[in-house]
Amino acid sequence: MFEWSDTDLMVRDAVRTFIDKEVRPHLDALDSGEMLPYPVLRKLYADFGIGAMAEEGLNKQLAARRAAADGAEKPASGDKDSSGGGFDQQTMMAVVTSELSGVCMGLCSSLGVSTGLGGATILSRGTLAQQERWVPDIVSLRKIACWAITEPDSGSDAFGGMKTSVRRDGDDYILNGQKTFITNGPFADTLVVYAKLDEGDGTPARDRKVLTFVLDKGMEGLTQGKPFKKMGLHASPTGELFFDNVRLGRDRLLGETEEHRGGDGRESAKSSFVAERVGIGFMALGVINECLRLCTEYARNRKLWGQEIGRFQLIQLKLAKMEVARINVQNMVFNIIERGKAGKPLSLSEASAVKLYSSETATEVAMEAVQLFGGNGYMSEYRVEQLARDAKSLMIYAGSNEIQVTHVAKGILGL
């Protein structure tokens, strides 16, 4: 793959029309937090049939698994999984993500965490009954999910420093602790929560097994904090979760066993880290594209000393570097899509490399866009100010870039 197909470009143009009608007029309200992202995302899913396609694909998967569990022959189907595993669906979501990110990255953050982390974790780790119970509402956006690992004192040391714990109480578990910086946390209907198992045997906290549970809004002992005030990503609500003796039945433990065939919660989280970091590449491309578009338009129209600033070599240098950045990150995105099509997804090290490069590049481009606009770039009405604030978040969440360096180096060294 070396360029978007005609179909991709048709989707892109349709998404841009949607953005012009449904997103740009509400940017101030979204950026202030006055307007939540979920109604906009649900309208996007409805208008483009994304929710229906995702649910149809999911139902096919679940039907096949149900038939296999019952010992029946797997239903015949020549269709690719349209819940996200099919190439066309992945390409479409890459286009949608990059286009949305260039205008309102918070929409993509909320969407990606809900479906790509929350829903995907339940789908990959849950029993058939758990998949049927929670995933249909998540992939269709009838309900919003969050994915809770980070804690106040654990940050990049997500598992080692984890203090949120569960203890057995008969056939149930009792959950206590706190999570922070949780995307969708204040408003999530479904919460995927990671916690250490405290067996009371003196095992050091760092070495305890990590289990994954699914909670629902309104459960006794669960408190969802108010949205934080952040530097950027204002359209994506972020907050804290508090657990005070929350009683959880075994049906809420993903896999319904402490000995999951794919390892404990650490392993499920690692696969989610890959998806999250790959998604950063799509979002970074959107920021770079929008910055280049805005800067090109400004350079053609802004005049100083009797001529357009685009005629000045230093301005041309900024634009040229933005174009190089666009080509590089776009080629990374194309590689990701091609690898997915070939059934060869990126390793954790490779995903970390994508995240490291694309997030730094997008941030540099956005800051240069502010500089190119001069005083106007520092004003919120010109939008490059918002892009710069939002882009910086890409270097921090999904694992800080300092941690990405470690993952990339370990992959190279085989550690």
Side-chain angles (χ1 to χ4, degrees):
M1 180 176 185
F2 62 92
E3 190 53 272
W4 299 112
S5 69
D6 290 342
T7 301
D8 298 333
L9 295 178
M10 287 175 61
V11 171
R12 182 200 67 184
D13 292 343
V15 172
R16 288 179 177 177
T17 299
F18 175 89
I19 289 172
D20 289 341
K21 181 180 178 182
E22 303 292 344
V23 180
R24 292 189 192 276
H26 305 295
L27 277 176
D28 289 336
L30 286 164
D31 200 49
S32 69
E34 175 188 346
M35 182 178 182
L36 292 177
Y38 313 118
V40 178
L41 292 172
R42 286 176 176 131
K43 183 162 180 47
L44 172 73
Y45 262 44
D47 286 5
F48 286 86
I50 299 173
M53 284 191 295
E55 197 162 10
E56 180 185 358
L58 173 66
N59 288 336
K60 289 179 181 179
Q61 286 189 61
L62 297 182
R65 293 176 187 178
R66 198 178 304 113
D70 293 340
E73 185 178 347
K74 182 178 178 180
S77 175
D79 296 336
K80 286 195 172 185
D81 168 20
S82 53
S83 68
F87 173 62
D88 290 342
Q89 179 75 0
Q90 185 183 21
T91 307
M92 178 180 181
M93 289 311 298
V95 172
V96 171
T97 299
S98 63
E99 290 298 323
L100 277 178
S101 293
V103 181
C104 186
M105 190 190 295
L107 292 174
C108 292
S109 181
S110 287
L111 175 61
V113 168
S114 183
T115 60
L117 295 181
T121 298
I122 300 173
L123 187 60
S124 65
R125 303 282 294 189
T127 63
L128 179 59
Q130 290 172 329
Q131 293 166 357
E132 293 175 330
R133 178 178 178 181
W134 285 297
V135 181
D137 282 340
I138 295 174
V139 300
S140 62
L141 292 193
R142 287 191 293 271
K143 290 188 176 180
I144 299 298
C146 70
W147 192 74
I149 287 186
T150 306
E151 299 184 6
D153 297 322
S154 63
S156 297
D157 185 19
F159 297 116
M162 186 178 291
K163 295 179 181 178
T164 297
S165 66
V166 290
R167 58 178 174 81
R168 301 187 192 94
D169 185 46
D171 292 332
D172 295 340
Y173 295 88
I174 304 298
L175 173 67
N176 282 285
Q178 176 184 357
K179 301 291 183 179
T180 193
F181 303 146
I182 307 303
T183 300
N184 297 330
F187 303 104
D189 305 293
T190 306
L191 303 87
V192 177
V193 179
Y194 290 76
K196 291 280 186 72
L197 176 61
D198 184 358
E199 301 185 78
D201 59 358
T203 301
R206 296 189 71 86
D207 300 328
R208 292 174 186 166
K209 186 178 298 183
V210 176
L211 301 181
T212 313
F213 294 86
V214 183
L215 283 65
D216 291 310
K217 176 193 284 287
M219 292 182 67
E220 185 175 355
L222 166 65
T223 300
Q224 296 173 245
K226 295 180 179 180
F228 288 138
K229 294 182 179 179
K230 309 190 296 291
M231 174 181 174
L233 282 185
H234 294 168
S236 178
T238 305
E240 295 176 292
L241 304 175
F242 302 91
F243 314 107
D244 183 13
N245 291 323
V246 180
R247 181 171 292 276
L248 304 170
R250 185 167 285 268
D251 62 324
R252 292 183 176 275
L253 170 63
L254 278 186
E256 296 191 29
T257 175
E258 295 174 7
E259 305 298 333
H260 197 280
R261 64 185 181 278
D264 72 359
R266 290 178 177 84
E267 294 306 312
S268 76
K270 286 179 180 178
S271 63
S272 297
F273 289 154
V274 171
E276 190 177 24
R277 291 167 189 178
V278 162
I280 296 294
F282 298 165
M283 296 166 73
L285 178 59
V287 171
I288 294 168
N289 280 337
E290 184 70 359
C291 284
L292 183 56
R293 184 187 73 81
L294 291 171
C295 288
T296 301
E297 182 179 295
Y298 192 76
R300 285 171 174 163
N301 293 295
R302 173 67 167 167
K303 290 186 177 181
L304 286 175
W305 294 289
Q307 59 184 320
E308 300 84 0
I309 63 171
R311 295 182 180 274
F312 299 127
Q313 194 171 40
L314 284 178
I315 298 298
Q316 293 174 357
L317 177 62
K318 292 182 187 297
L319 294 175
K321 287 185 174 181
M322 289 181 189
E323 174 64 1
V324 172
R326 183 196 68 79
I327 292 171
N328 286 341
V329 175
Q330 181 171 271
N331 284 339
M332 279 188 163
V333 167
F334 287 163
N335 178 254
I336 292 165
I337 295 172
E338 282 292 296
R339 291 274 296 269
K341 181 181 180 181
K344 297 179 180 179
L346 274 64
S347 66
L348 179 61
S349 174
E350 291 170 326
S352 293
V354 169
K355 197 268 189 188
L356 177 64
Y357 178 81
S358 64
S359 63
E360 288 185 350
T361 302
T363 303
E364 289 171 2
V365 167
M367 292 303 293
E368 278 295 274
V370 172
Q371 191 69 23
L372 187 148
F373 272 69
N376 288 332
Y378 208 66
M379 303 296 116
S380 59
E381 66 185 286
Y382 283 86
R383 296 302 171 193
V384 289
E385 175 266 348
Q386 177 198 320
L387 286 166
R389 287 189 285 108
D390 288 353
K392 181 61 181 176
S393 71
L394 298 177
M395 295 178 63
I396 299 171
Y397 85 90
S400 69
N401 277 15
E402 289 74 14
I403 294 300
Q404 307 312 315
V405 171
T406 300
H407 285 302
V408 174
K410 285 183 176 179
I412 294 171
L413 297 169
L415 300 178

